[in-house]
């Protein structure tokens, strides 16, 4: 009996030891990221530049990591709805999102308490300047003709769109107006949930001007429903070499830019965040991503989490100063 008991005890101990050596591996396999679909939130509408960039990033991550990366458009509130969905998700790596320049602007307007520090920054991937687009049937075929008409018109006659109230494309318009010596509200702003619906409104005649990036306007430009008159940048975009800068045509040396990066909720595990950043760098460096962005005229700019954090902090300070000057800032 004693020998049998001892033998069972020994076998049981060996079995337990064997299971003990297997369980951590099983636990690790079960907990390895990603082992189920990942949601990538886009705060702006389908068809716009942010949506297009989010979808190419998601497609490459899905191919490389073997799990679905589902882009979900959460629009509304001038970007607040989508940015909030990213910030308030469980910080487990299964909900990430594409945050945009508006996160350095919305809290200055009093729209939200969210700031760049509300996230786990993963990677900056894109920076683009705005262009000035009009309907193809517009009587203004160059930026000087449009600028002269705006100056001669009473306040509010012209309507413009491109993003939400106080968004980057709105601020781009304000900066241009101020550079021409006009009041920030001389052109009426019509809020939209991104560049794509704004360009549709332009094509339908609902607004006179859209100040979004030229790449975001490509669909309507290619369809012959809109034309781009100028870009607010130090130099022309090689992908749209026929579109002049404001400085070339009006002598206005004004430029501003929108950016897009990937982030997750604050408090993500380092292992998951680091893996994501490594995979995003791989995606950024891929010919698929670079060709996609170049073919659409989108700028490519990389920054790792530390660089992205500094980039957003500098932008937040600059936007606060600019919005205060424009009378759009309500709080810090």
């Amino acid at each position: 009996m004693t020998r049998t008991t001892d033998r069972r005890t020994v076998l049981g101990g060996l079995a337990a030891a064997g299971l003990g050596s297997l369980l951590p591996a099983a636990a690790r396999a079960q907990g390895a990221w990603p082992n189920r679909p990942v949601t990538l939130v886009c705060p702006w509408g389908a068809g716009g530049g942010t949506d297009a960039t989010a979808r190419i990033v998601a497609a490459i991550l899905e191919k490389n990591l073997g799990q679905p990366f589902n882009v979900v458009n959460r629009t509304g509130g001038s970007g607040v709805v989508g940015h909030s969905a990213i910030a308030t998700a469980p910080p487990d790596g299964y909900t990430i999102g594409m945050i945009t320049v508006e996160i350095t602007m919305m809290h200055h307007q009093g729209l939200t308490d969210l700031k760049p520090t509300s996230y786990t920054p993963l990677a900056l991937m894109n920076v683009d300047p705005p262009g000035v687009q009009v309907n193809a049937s517009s009587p203004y075929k160059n930026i000087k003709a449009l600028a002269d008409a705006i100056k001669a018109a009473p306040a509010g006659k012209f309507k413009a769109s491109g993003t939400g109230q106080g968004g980057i494309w709105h601020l781009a318009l304000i900066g241009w107006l101020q550079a021409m010596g006009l009041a920030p509200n001389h052109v009426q702003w019509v809020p939209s949930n991104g560049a794509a619906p704004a360009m549709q409104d332009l094509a339908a005649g609902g607004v006179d001007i859209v100040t979004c990036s030229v790449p975001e306007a490509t669909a309507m430009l290619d369809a012959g429903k809109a034309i781009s008159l100028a870009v607010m940048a130090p130099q022309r975009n090689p992908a749209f070499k026929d579109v002049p800068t404001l400085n070339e045509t009006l002598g206005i040396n004004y430029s501003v830019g929108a950016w897009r990066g990937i982030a997750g909720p604050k408090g993500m595990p380092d292992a998951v965040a680091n893996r994501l950043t490594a995979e995003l760098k791989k995606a950024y460096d891929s010919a698929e991503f670079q060709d996609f962005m170049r073919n659409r005229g989108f700028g490519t700019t990389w920054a790792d989490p530390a660089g992205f954090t500094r980039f957003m902090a500098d932008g937040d300070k600059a936007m606060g100063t600019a919005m205060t000057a424009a009378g759009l800032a309500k709080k810090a």
Side-chain angles (χ1 to χ4, degrees):
M1 180 68 70
T2 302
R3 288 180 180 179
T4 303
T5 302
D6 290 347
R7 188 167 178 268
R8 288 175 180 170
T9 302
V10 170
L11 289 174
L14 289 172
L19 286 173
S21 65
L22 292 173
L23 283 173
R28 284 196 299 272
Q30 185 179 10
W33 182 94
N35 62 9
R36 55 187 172 87
V38 177
T39 295
L40 197 160
V41 176
C42 175
W44 302 103
T50 304
D51 177 70
T53 306
R55 290 181 187 279
I56 185 61
V57 170
I60 296 172
L61 291 175
E62 180 170 316
K63 181 174 65 177
N64 291 346
L65 289 169
Q67 288 288 350
F69 275 72
N70 303 312
V71 175
V72 176
N73 299 90
R74 296 289 303 275
T75 63
S78 297
V80 172
V81 172
H83 282 91
S84 180
I86 302 166
T88 58
D92 55 10
Y94 289 97
T95 299
I96 58 175
M98 180 152 277
I99 63 174
T100 61
V101 65
E102 281 78 13
I103 198 59
T104 64
M105 304 169 68
M106 296 184 294
H107 67 96
H108 291 295
Q109 299 170 267
L111 297 177
T112 179
D113 290 330
L114 293 173
K115 298 179 180 181
T117 52
S118 304
Y119 302 88
T120 298
L122 298 170
L124 173 68
M125 304 188 78
N126 159 255
V127 179
D128 280 315
V132 180
Q133 283 72 231
V134 297
N135 189 296
S137 63
S138 168
Y140 314 110
K141 303 304 181 184
N142 60 68
I143 195 67
K144 188 177 186 309
L146 177 62
D148 289 344
I150 291 173
K151 290 177 183 177
K157 178 181 177 181
F158 282 87
K159 295 179 181 178
S161 188
T163 188
Q165 181 76 17
I168 185 62
W169 302 142
H170 185 195
L171 196 62
L173 172 70
I174 289 172
W176 177 37
L177 293 174
Q178 290 180 318
M180 291 193 295
L182 300 172
N185 61 349
H186 188 81
V187 172
Q188 181 183 345
W189 187 256
V190 179
S192 72
N193 281 324
M199 287 301 299
Q200 291 167 2
D201 201 12
L202 179 72
V207 295
D208 306 295
I209 305 163
V210 168
T211 50
C212 68
S213 69
V214 183
E216 289 181 298
T218 299
M220 290 300 175
L221 297 176
D222 290 348
K225 296 182 178 180
I227 55 176
S228 188
L229 303 182
V231 63
M232 302 180 196
Q235 61 276 324
R236 297 189 184 197
N237 185 329
F240 304 96
K241 59 185 180 181
D242 294 331
V243 181
T245 67
L246 289 181
N247 199 26
E248 288 179 71
T249 50
L250 300 178
I252 294 175
N253 189 19
Y254 173 73
S255 63
V256 67
W259 54 260
R260 304 176 180 101
I262 302 293
K266 195 170 183 177
M268 287 178 63
D270 289 344
V272 175
N274 292 341
R275 176 83 188 281
L276 265 165
T277 295
E279 292 295 335
L280 288 166
K281 184 63 164 70
K282 190 187 299 183
Y284 177 87
D285 289 336
S286 69
E288 185 177 359
F289 179 79
Q290 293 293 330
D291 289 347
F292 178 92
M293 300 295 276
R294 182 172 56 253
N295 290 340
R296 287 157 181 77
F298 292 147
T300 53
T301 302
W302 171 264
D304 63 12
F308 192 13
T309 298
R310 290 191 298 270
F311 177 86
M312 288 193 290
D314 291 344
D316 191 84
K317 183 177 179 181
M319 285 299 173
T321 300
M323 295 178 77
T324 298
L328 287 171
K330 294 181 181 178
K331 60 185 293 187

